[in-house]
Amino acid sequence: MDIIVPICLFMPIAINLYAIIGGGGSVANFIDVASIVVVIIGGANSLVMANDMSTVLGIPKAMKVLLNKPAVDEAQIIITLISFSEKARREGLLVLEDDIQEVQDPFMKKGMQLVVDGTDPELVRNILNTEIDNIEARHDSVRKVFDDAASLFPAWGMVGTLVGLVIMLRSLGGGGGIEAIGGGMAVALITTYYGSVIANGFALPISGRLAARNSSEVMVKNIMVEGILSVQAGDNPRIVKDKLVSFLPPNQRQKVNDQVGDR
């Protein structure tokens, strides 16, 4: 499990509780049923309207994926591709048939199988890039739900604010006293508060985390694409290594250098 995710999801709750209690307030004062209905139900309704239902229903699965830390070793992937390159240069592409069966990643396995089957390099690139584009499209559709939530829930909070202000002003015009002001302002401010917490405490950070995960996955896929095409082209293993380690930050390149040296 990626322990950072649950900690960061819990922190907004803890921070708000500390602010309320530490400031001498009461949690009960921040619970308002009318405000909850306006912000939560209104925001959820707009969210469903703005997105495909299957995508919205898939959010729990996306959160489960987010909680699990990706078990991807970019350096090991590069080392594997370099070994494929060496073997292919010595004995030909067909000798990789057995090695491909041991590859665990479906994307890499698919690409290497295309190469062994003699598929045109440009077609291999197009097929793999199309796969990457589709992965990004699926990720974007999920991230869009959280981006929409970050704008829709505060918007409904503003709706609640306007409702509260109207109630307050109507009561004042009808001769209401300080109680009317207090009740109206409570609804007005609490709805804005709910919308802001949902957007800034949860929706935007989750969207950002999903974007980071997407970038990491796409980078790994691009490493595979370049490595697979280099194997097919019969590039020198040293060239393959230099090309692929350029994707990695300096602190991760050492593992590749330690295992493959200056081949």
Side-chain angles (χ1 to χ4, degrees):
M1 175 183 284
D2 189 351
I3 192 64
I4 294 297
V5 175
I7 289 176
C8 290
L9 289 177
F10 170 75
M11 283 303 292
I13 300 173
I15 291 169
N16 277 274
L17 287 175
Y18 175 79
I20 293 169
I21 297 172
S26 170
V27 174
N29 292 335
F30 285 78
I31 299 175
D32 183 81
V33 176
S35 298
I36 292 173
V37 170
V38 170
V39 177
I40 304 300
I41 304 302
N45 178 75
S46 295
L47 202 62
V48 171
M49 187 68 177
N51 296 274
D52 185 76
M53 179 60 78
S54 61
T55 304
V56 176
L57 294 177
I59 291 303
K61 182 179 179 181
M63 290 302 300
K64 183 178 179 181
V65 171
L66 194 64
L67 288 169
N68 295 322
K69 193 171 185 178
V72 178
D73 189 341
E74 295 90 346
Q76 188 57 52
I77 290 171
I78 293 174
I79 292 168
T80 300
L81 288 166
I82 293 172
S83 69
F84 285 168
S85 175
E86 290 180 325
K87 197 168 185 179
R89 278 172 64 88
R90 288 197 312 265
E91 306 173 52
L93 290 171
L94 291 177
V95 77
L96 298 175
E97 187 75 50
D98 292 337
D99 297 281
I100 292 173
Q101 304 309 315
E102 299 178 6
V103 174
Q104 298 298 315
D105 187 277
F107 182 86
M108 185 171 171
K109 188 172 186 176
K110 177 180 180 179
M112 288 304 303
Q113 190 63 59
L114 288 169
V115 167
V116 171
D117 291 343
T119 309
D120 181 77
E122 191 62 31
L123 182 57
V124 173
R125 182 182 290 278
N126 289 338
I127 291 173
L128 297 180
N129 283 340
T130 299
E131 183 78 20
I132 293 174
D133 290 342
N134 288 330
I135 290 172
E136 288 193 280
R138 290 194 295 271
H139 291 175
D140 286 344
S141 66
V142 174
R143 195 167 68 248
K144 178 180 178 294
V145 175
F146 291 98
D147 288 336
D148 288 345
S151 60
L152 291 172
F153 281 97
W156 276 96
M158 183 57 66
V159 170
T161 297
L162 296 174
V163 170
L165 291 175
V166 170
I167 292 173
M168 182 185 69
L169 293 174
R170 285 284 188 181
S171 299
L172 287 175
I178 192 68
E179 295 83 4
I181 298 177
M185 284 301 295
V187 174
L189 295 178
I190 290 176
T191 50
T192 300
Y193 169 76
Y194 286 165
S196 182
V197 169
I198 291 171
N200 297 290
F202 301 99
L204 285 175
I206 291 173
S207 174
R209 192 73 172 186
L210 289 173
R213 286 283 180 85
N214 175 73
S215 296
S216 297
E217 184 173 348
V218 169
M219 184 196 72
V220 171
K221 294 292 188 288
N222 284 326
I223 290 174
M224 293 178 183
V225 170
E226 294 303 322
I228 289 166
L229 292 173
S230 293
V231 172
Q232 186 177 31
D235 290 343
N236 186 296
R238 183 180 299 174
I239 300 299
V240 176
K241 185 195 79 168
D242 290 341
K243 182 189 296 185
L244 300 185
V245 296
S246 65
F247 285 91
L248 302 180
N251 63 329
Q252 292 184 23
R253 298 180 185 182
Q254 191 58 44
K255 180 178 179 179
V256 178
N257 293 328
D258 289 344
Q259 293 204 31
V260 303
D262 294 325
R263 299 179 190 181

